[in-house]
Amino acid sequence: MLAVDMAGETVRAMNGSMVAYDGEMTFKRQGMTGGEGLRGALRRRVAGESMTLMEVTGQGTVYFASEATEVTLVELAGDTLLVESDSLLALDGRLQTGVQFIGLRGMGTGQGLATTKVEGQGTVAILSDGPAIALEVAPGTPLCVDPHAYVAHRGQLQQDVVTDVNWRTVLGQGSGESVQFRYQGHGLVYVQPAERGGILEI
Amino acid sequence: MTSTTFNAATLPANDNVNPYAFSVDLNGQWFTQKGKMIAYYGQIRFQALSAGPLDMLVAESFHSPLYAHDWIVAEGQGKLLLADRGFDINSYDLDKGNLTIRAANLLAFEPGLELKQSIIPGFLTLIGTGRFVAASNGPVHFVEPPIRVDPQALLGWADCPSPCHHYDHGYVRGVLGAARMMFGVGGTSGEEHQFDFTGEGTVLIQSSEHVTSSDAMLRELEGQIGMLGVPGLRQLHGTIAQRLAAEQQH
C-alpha cells in the first residue's frame, strides 16, 4: 500500500486504486486524452496500451493499493522509466507519460507491442507480485530476464530478445527458458519474484 | 518502499536476495525446475535433460524419468536468480544425508546430490552432499517425530523413516462411518487423515495448506497402471467411468 502526503499538489493514479484518504481530496477522471494530448491518445489507442489514470488533488493523506501487491518507489530525475501500464500504480503530477513502441518482444508474454514511458522529475510507484528486485546493468555485464518476471526498466538500455528455440522446444522437450530479454548498456531493470502467466508457454 | 539495487558483484552468492528470491553463484552445473529462473548475469545455458551432452550427469544424479520433463540443467558461469510465485524460498545443506521433499516445491539442487522418487507419491528424495533450494507457502517449521502432520501442510522430512497414513478411529467406525467411506457424505472435520511420523529425524511443515498444483501425481498414477494386468485394468476402467458420471452430475 502506498500513502501519499499532499499539500495542494496533484498525483495521478490508477483508476479505482484509492483505498482511503483523510483531508480534502478531489478525484477527477482524466478525459479521453489522459493528459497526453490528442496525438498521445491516438498513439495509445493504436498501440492498444490502455491506461486509465485519475487525477487526485488536495490536502491530507491518500492511500493507494491494488490486489495486495507490493509497491516499489522509483525516483526519476530527468530520466525515463519504461513500465507496463498494468504495473503503474501512481505517479507525480509533474511527470509525463507516453507510449513507447517496443516491437515484437512483447508478444507471447501478453504485453503487446507497446509499453508506457514515464519521464521527468518526480516519483513513480510501480506494482509487483512480491517485492521487486532492482538489478543493475553496466557495460560488459548484460542481464538476461525471464519475460514473465520483468516489471520495468530505466536508463540507457538496449533490449533484445534471446531465443534458444530449437527442435526440442517444438517437441515439448525444451528447457522452458527458451526466450529471454537481454539488456545491455547502462541502467536498472526491475524484476519480481513470481512469473505471471503468458499466452505462450515458453 | 525503495529497494536496494544489485549487480553481478553485489548479488549474494548462494544465498537469499530477499525472502522470495534466491541467488545461485553458478560455476558449473545445477539442476533447476523449469520456469523458475527470473533473471541472470553471465554466460548461462539452459538445457533439457534429454540433451545428449548431459547423459553422464543425468545418469549419475537424476533417477526419475517421471519428473525429467519438468527439470532442466543450468550450465555456465554467473549469478542465477530463482523465484517461485512469490513463495518463501529457503536453501538447505545436506552432508551425506537424505531428505524427502514435495516435488513441486523443490526449485534447484547441486549435482552432488542424487535425486530419486520417494515411495510416497508426489515426493522426491535427495541423497548425498550438497545444497538445494525449496519454496514454501509461508515460513518453514522444523519439528521432531513422533508427530502427525496434515498431508497438505507437509513439505518434507529428513533422516526419519517414510510416514504412514493415520485415520481417526471415529471416521471408520459404525454405520455412519461406513456410509461416509462409501458415499463421502456426513459431517467431517476434514482432519481425519494425517501422515504419521515415528523414529529419529526432522519433519518440515509449511504454514499453510496450500499445495502447489502439479500434474506429477497424474503421471505417477499412470506409471503404476502397468502393474495391474488385464482384469485390474477393466475394473479401473469401470471405476473411472462411474466417477466421471458422478462428477458430471454436479
Side-chain angles (χ1 to χ4, degrees):
Chain A
M1 191 145 92
L2 174 73
V4 187
D5 287 324
M6 307 230 287
E9 308 103 315
T10 303
V11 176
R12 290 201 281 158
M14 186 191 275
N15 240 8
S17 64
M18 189 277 292
V19 288
Y21 71 91
D22 59 37
E24 285 293 314
M25 294 286 164
T26 48
F27 299 89
K28 197 176 95 194
R29 189 185 190 281
Q30 287 204 316
M32 278 283 292
T33 57
E36 290 170 9
L38 202 58
R39 242 181 100 207
L42 208 63
R43 268 170 77 93
R44 197 165 275 286
R45 183 60 61 89
V46 169
E49 177 82 358
S50 65
M51 179 173 76
T52 34
L53 293 180
M54 56 184 181
E55 256 177 37
V56 187
T57 322
Q59 304 266 345
T61 310
V62 59
Y63 300 89
F64 299 110
S66 174
E67 313 246 325
T69 47
E70 300 273 338
V71 179
T72 307
L73 293 181
V74 182
E75 295 285 343
L76 289 184
D79 51 339
T80 308
L81 177 80
L82 289 174
V83 61
E84 284 303 314
S85 60
D86 301 344
S87 309
L88 192 61
L89 178 65
L91 61 147
D92 215 303
R94 293 165 295 163
L95 288 167
Q96 280 168 4
T97 52
V99 173
Q100 172 91 25
F101 286 92
I102 45 169
L104 275 173
R105 73 126 179 111
M107 299 300 284
T109 57
Q111 295 173 356
L113 290 166
T115 192
T116 296
K117 182 170 69 176
V118 184
E119 54 193 345
Q121 299 248 344
T123 309
V124 187
I126 55 175
L127 294 168
S128 56
D129 190 356
I133 301 164
L135 295 168
E136 264 173 56
V137 181
T141 56
L143 172 74
C144 293
V145 172
D146 188 304
H148 299 127
Y150 165 85
V151 179
H153 76 266
R154 69 192 286 193
Q156 302 299 311
L157 287 179
Q158 278 147 32
Q159 183 183 46
D160 54 316
V161 181
V162 194
T163 50
D164 180 25
V165 180
N166 53 22
W167 59 272
R168 284 182 196 283
T169 319
V170 180
L171 285 177
Q173 291 276 303
S175 61
E177 311 286 11
S178 307
V179 177
Q180 296 141 11
F181 296 160
R182 185 170 56 200
Y183 294 91
Q184 282 168 307
H186 204 87
L188 269 183
V189 180
Y190 295 88
V191 294
Q192 64 181 18
E195 308 201 325
R196 53 184 114 68
I199 300 169
L200 275 174
E201 276 302 315
I202 40 176
Chain B
M1 190 193 85
T2 315
S3 53
T4 48
T5 63
F6 293 97
N7 60 33
T10 58
L11 270 177
N14 293 333
D15 204 353
N16 276 61
V17 182
N18 63 28
Y20 315 103
F22 186 86
S23 163
V24 177
D25 187 7
L26 191 69
N27 193 357
Q29 292 163 320
W30 267 66
F31 284 94
T32 65
Q33 207 188 118
K34 255 186 207 179
K36 307 301 179 197
M37 180 279 285
I38 56 166
Y40 68 87
Y41 288 104
Q43 298 293 317
I44 299 179
R45 273 195 320 281
F46 299 91
Q47 284 179 297
L49 293 190
S50 55
L54 296 176
D55 259 3
M56 284 285 283
L57 178 75
V58 173
E60 262 172 41
S61 305
F62 202 95
H63 305 280
S64 171
L66 195 61
Y67 290 95
H69 187 76
D70 297 335
W71 284 80
I72 53 174
V73 172
E75 197 174 12
Q77 289 190 329
K79 291 274 175 68
L80 175 65
L81 282 183
L82 301 170
D84 185 15
R85 287 155 292 175
F87 280 19
D88 285 47
I89 310 284
N90 283 298
S91 66
Y92 307 84
D93 283 311
L94 274 185
D95 186 15
K96 290 183 193 141
N98 75 81
L99 185 138
T100 306
I101 189 158
R102 191 178 287 278
N105 289 56
L106 182 65
L107 291 195
F109 63 95
E110 275 181 325
L113 291 167
E114 255 182 80
L115 181 97
K116 296 189 176 181
Q117 261 167 258
S118 169
I119 294 285
I120 308 282
F123 284 81
L124 291 170
T125 303
L126 292 165
I127 304 169
T129 304
R131 178 166 284 208
F132 67 93
V133 183
S136 64
N137 195 1
V140 181
H141 301 279
F142 299 87
V143 287
E144 277 178 21
I147 188 171
R148 288 185 187 139
V149 183
D150 187 289
Q152 275 119 38
L154 178 66
L155 196 64
W157 62 92
D159 301 328
C160 51
S162 286
C164 37
H165 295 284
H166 175 89
Y167 292 94
D168 279 355
H169 182 56
Y171 185 59
V172 249
R173 190 183 51 189
V175 183
L176 223 68
R180 273 195 214 123
M181 287 275 281
M182 285 180 75
F183 307 112
V185 291
T188 62
S189 66
E191 306 286 6
E192 298 82 10
H193 173 214
Q194 294 103 30
F195 281 153
D196 198 334
F197 286 92
T198 52
E200 292 285 303
T202 314
V203 179
L204 283 69
I205 46 183
Q206 64 177 13
S207 346
S208 94
E209 300 196 356
H210 181 89
V211 179
T212 45
S213 63
S214 111
D215 55 352
M217 184 78 170
L218 181 68
R219 271 181 275 145
E220 194 136 349
L221 283 174
E222 281 172 351
Q224 291 182 349
I225 281 181
M227 298 183 222
L228 282 175
V230 177
L233 280 174
R234 281 216 185 93
Q235 201 179 332
L236 188 64
H237 188 77
T239 316
I240 291 174
Q242 266 180 17
R243 193 68 227 154
L244 266 179
E247 289 285 332
Q248 276 159 3
Q249 273 178 9
H250 286 301

